[in-house]
Amino acid sequence: MTRVLVVAAGALAAGVALTPLAMVLARRTGVVDRPGPLKPHAAPVPYLGGLAVLGAAVIGAALGRPSVVWPLAGALVLGVLDDRFDLSPALRLAGQVAVGAGVACVAPTVVPGVGGGVLVCAVAVVLMNGVNFLDGLDALAGGVALVAGAAFAALAPGAARDLATATAAGVAGFLLYNRPPARVYLGDGGAYLLGAILAVLLALEWSTAHRRAVSVAALTFVVLPAGEVAFAVVRRLRGRAGVTRGDRRHPYDLMVARGCSAGRAALAYAGAEVLLVVAGLWASTLHTLLGPALVAGAAAVAVTAAAGALGALSPGPEVPV
């Protein structure tokens, strides 16, 4: 417990101290989010919040598994380059696959050989994009990542627990500046970083150190970001639009369009993540594989049903934000 508290305190301090420095650096280098068709804010907002989160996460990684820092740094760099230069979809995907391969190298799973590596790589790509899709309202992606990180810290073995604790605490420090109205954004860099961290933590849960019930139960922690990817793909295919084309029909966009404030929408997502985490933690106590699998499946069905009720699975006009 003492180690957890020390890691949490250090990562929280890093998040609080490094975020303002990241804001200054973002403004000086021009890595800012400017208003546009899909950008509802009125003035440029600095990116690079992910730098502060990485600084906090490194505290936990250095104590247990320093090798994970490399793919995490790669995810941040890829996203920052995308923020600054608007990379093509093909180049972006190639970079995400490379990061995913790095995650697979540092977080091997119980699935042997190439199959396990491909699985982890695919999960990393999905979660990097999923957290990025969640990053559409102030504090939304950060709130979900904080709750998920805390959940992984509760379940994970030693090395993974340090990383999960540091991530949750670092994001908490960042959220002091990202809460509405946000003074800094995660940017693609921070979103890709958090997605890669969740992929590492999930892959470590699939290691031989844990019972399979725990490994399956942990899937509930990533239902929201994974669901965002699935919803976007279904929506854009049904509308015969390119799957890489951005839109404003995510569930949170539709919530805001129906009169929910952006702050309440972000809190609703965090609350939904809490419910998913509680279900996953309970499922992890079961001693059969079927129970956690049913819980994870029910969580996915519930989130999909909610998204469908809002209209996030259907193409349509852009909603006002």
Side-chain angles (χ1 to χ4, degrees), residues 211-214 216-217 219-220 282-284 286-298:
R211 293 184 295 109
R212 290 188 177 182
V214 175
V216 175
L219 291 171
T220 60
W282 172 78
S284 71
L286 303 177
H287 295 284
T288 65
L289 193 59
L290 179 60
L294 290 175
V295 170

Side-chain angles (χ1 to χ4, degrees), residues 224-245:
L224 285 183
E228 285 290 340
V229 175
F231 305 153
V233 170
V234 169
R235 181 172 65 246
R236 293 166 190 178
L237 288 178
R238 291 183 66 183
R240 299 189 178 186
V243 295
T244 61
R245 179 180 175 272

Side-chain angles (χ1 to χ4, degrees), residues 125-209:
V125 171
V126 168
L127 293 182
M128 282 190 284
N129 284 291
V131 176
N132 196 34
F133 288 166
L134 285 174
D135 193 27
L137 294 178
D138 297 348
L140 196 157
V144 170
L146 189 158
V147 176
F152 275 113
L155 279 188
R161 182 182 295 118
D162 291 334
L163 175 61
T165 299
T167 298
V171 170
F174 162 78
L175 284 174
L176 293 176
Y177 307 91
N178 183 242
R179 68 186 189 279
R183 290 179 281 166
V184 61
Y185 291 157
L186 283 169
D188 289 353
Y192 291 175
L193 167 66
L194 287 175
I197 290 175
L198 292 179
V200 168
L201 293 172
L202 190 60
L204 291 175
E205 289 290 350
W206 295 341
S207 71
T208 56

Side-chain angles (χ1 to χ4, degrees), residues 32-92:
V32 297
D33 191 20
R34 294 180 172 82
L38 299 180
K39 311 289 187 177
H41 47 278
V45 177
Y47 283 137
L48 298 186
L51 279 175
V53 176
L54 178 62
V58 164
I59 294 174
L63 291 175
R65 192 179 288 263
S67 59
V68 304
V69 172
W70 300 112
L72 299 185
L76 177 66
V77 169
L78 174 66
V80 170
L81 289 174
D82 195 19
D83 286 327
R84 186 66 178 85
F85 301 108
D86 194 18
L87 304 179
S88 69
L91 188 56
R92 191 184 311 137

